[in-house]
Amino acid sequence: MQYITYLKANTVEDAVGKLHGAGDNAVILAGGTDLLVGFNSHSVDPSTTIVYIGEIETIKAIKETEAELLVGSMVTTTQLAESPVIGRYAGALQQAAQESAGPQVRNRATIGGNIATASPAGDLITALYALDASVTVVGTSGSVRMKIGEIITGVKRTSLSKDQMITEIIIPKKSPGSESAFEKIGKRKAMTISAASAACQVTLSKDQKSIAEIKVAVGAAAPTVVFAHGVEDALRGRAIDDQLVKDVSKLAAEVINPITDQRATKWYRQEVVPVLVYNTIMKAISQVQKAGGVA
Amino acid sequence: MKLTIRFKLNGKAVSAAITPEMTLLTVLKDVMLVNSVKRACVSGECGACTVIVDGKAMNACLILAMTIEDKNVETLENLGAPDRLHPLQKAFVEMGASQCGFCTPGFIMAAKAFLDENPDPTEEQIRVALSGNLCRCTGYVKPVKAVQQAIQEMKDIESGLTPVQAIQGAARIMQGHSAEELNIQIH
Ligand SMILES: Cc1cc2nc3c(=O)[nH]c(=O)nc-3n(C[C@H](O)[C@H](O)[C@H](O)COP(=O)(O)OP(=O)(O)OC[C@H]3O[C@@H](n4cnc5c(N)ncnc54)[C@H](O)[C@@H]3O)c2cc1C
Ligand code: FES
Ligand code: FES
């Protein structure tokens, strides 16, 4: 009987070398919470070479520079859920992490694995779109930086080649007067994959009376996470108005392309996405106002 | 091709001859013959296979065993024995939080990892800590109450009440009497 090959990488360079050496059979193993579900449900091709990146110390930390948060690809969902720095500068990502899976999975699941899985229901991904995140990818041909939306190309598809790995996620620190929020809905409260989700980042004007800048992302309602540009355009520069936000959130239904699956029907997704969009926008606005001392 | 992995199991250095596609669940259950770890969904959904790895609760079914080299793995066997149960085990028995018992080791290990980091949690925090575990018999009220009773007993043991007094007091609080009414001091 032939078995799979298991290789442990000690550094990013080591991982890339091992991936290159294994060619088409290479598979990166991070937390394993997506990969092992697959291994357990159908037998693994024995020619597979697993390259384990979980012992590479340089990709396990959350760091900050003056302008950016640098999140290593092996940072776990638990780390994101608990980190004060993530809470301060990337609220949507923290909320998405807190609402992902259950404690046992969160302790193992990683941000790099969430991106590379490229599920339209990836909660961290939805938040990363709204936060305008970029990703550093390292391969034999060097290191490239791209936007989160450029690496994810379709349902469970990325632009990564077999010898490339995600090493870092870069999130611009929000400006003062800005907050982000995330909300999801699923079949039950805990341990649920999103039937639909929304994340936004809102920057208010100095007087906190109008919306200066806004980004809105919707998850689990199209082949990839999508931006609701119609909602953004309709709110940019406008005075804060609950009814207006409610009305224009309906525009989000136009950019999604939902399917009916075991988690929700197409109709339900069309109805619920505007509600999630409205909720996250109002949540972000009220957080800015709270931080700025306006009731 | 058999490989050897070395790790710590319940404080003891062990080694096991395994094949590279085995999960930690398979190694614990089928190679090391650890009884408490249960195999059910093998997809991370139910928590019956929960063990503690380097202080954190994890699903053994989603861990490739090779990645456990040099780590500390803790299972229910490390907690207590029938004649000296851990407060969590005792509380699960006394509160009726265990019926068929299949899910119980997983619940207790999830609770143990959580209480090691948060000795004085709110009820909501306990619910979140147990949200990765499914039980088809008792529901979710009794396991939460059992964890609360165990916390109370651990505090009482620390404060010098005998375990019997402590349990009686805790059980009465669970039945709806207040601590003041029973003249029990909660620290
Ligand atoms: C019970 C359960 C509940 C879940 N609930 C949620 C949920 O609520 N929300 C959610 O979003 N997800 C959920 N998930 C999915 C999963 O936990 C996440 O997608 C997780 O972030 C995956 O990370 P990982 O490290 O475990 O990935 P792995 O399984 O290790 O890898 C996943 C894929 O990414 C590749 N990969 C991993 N790291 C890298 C890297 N650095 N560079 C390039 N490729 C890489 C792997 O080769 C593999 O193809 C759940 C999973 C389970 C089992
Ligand atoms: S058997 Fe591992 S979570 Fe169900
Ligand atoms: S006691 Fe039977 S599944 Fe929980």
Side-chain angles (χ1 to χ4, degrees), chain B residues 86-141:
Chain B
H86 183 277
L88 276 165
Q89 293 172 304
K90 204 173 336 181
F92 267 71
V93 173
E94 284 170 6
M95 295 299 298
S98 179
Q99 284 182 23
C100 79
F102 194 82
C103 69
T104 312
F107 266 95
I108 291 182
M109 294 316 281
K112 161 97 175 22
F114 170 67
L115 293 183
D116 285 348
E117 284 186 0
N118 311 273
D120 201 8
T122 63
E123 181 178 335
E124 179 56 27
Q125 289 172 320
I126 298 171
R127 285 185 182 279
V128 171
L130 299 182
S131 63
N133 295 77
L134 293 180
C135 174
R136 296 292 80 165
C137 304
T138 65
Y140 301 93
V141 175

Side-chain angles (χ1 to χ4, degrees), chain A residues 3-36:
Chain A
Y3 295 107
I4 60 167
T5 306
Y6 170 86
L7 302 172
K8 182 179 93 180
N10 296 311
T11 61
V12 169
E13 295 66 39
D14 186 25
V16 169
K18 286 181 163 129
L19 289 169
H20 186 68
D24 278 348
N25 298 325
V27 175
I28 294 174
L29 173 65
T33 62
D34 278 320
L35 219 49
L36 270 282

Side-chain angles (χ1 to χ4, degrees), chain A residues 1 3-4 6 29 31-33 36-37 39-40 44 50 52 55 78 82 102-108 188-191, chain B residues 1 19-21 23 42-45 50 56-59 61-64 66-67 71 110 124 128-129 131-134:
Chain A
M1 185 163 170
Y3 295 107
I4 60 167
Y6 170 86
L29 173 65
T33 62
L36 270 282
V37 173
F39 286 9
N40 286 338
V44 197
I50 299 271
Y52 181 51
E55 299 291 342
T78 297
E82 293 176 354
Q104 291 92 325
V105 171
R106 286 198 291 269
N107 282 339
R108 205 125 180 118
R188 62 189 188 112
K189 202 161 160 244
M191 287 289 283
Chain B
M1 177 193 49
T19 53
E21 79 295 345
T23 61
V42 294
S43 59
E45 301 277 348
T50 302
K56 300 255 178 216
M58 294 180 180
N59 300 308
C61 70
L62 295 187
I63 299 178
L64 201 67
M66 290 303 294
T67 66
K71 306 264 183 262
E124 179 56 27
V128 171
S131 63
N133 295 77
L134 293 180

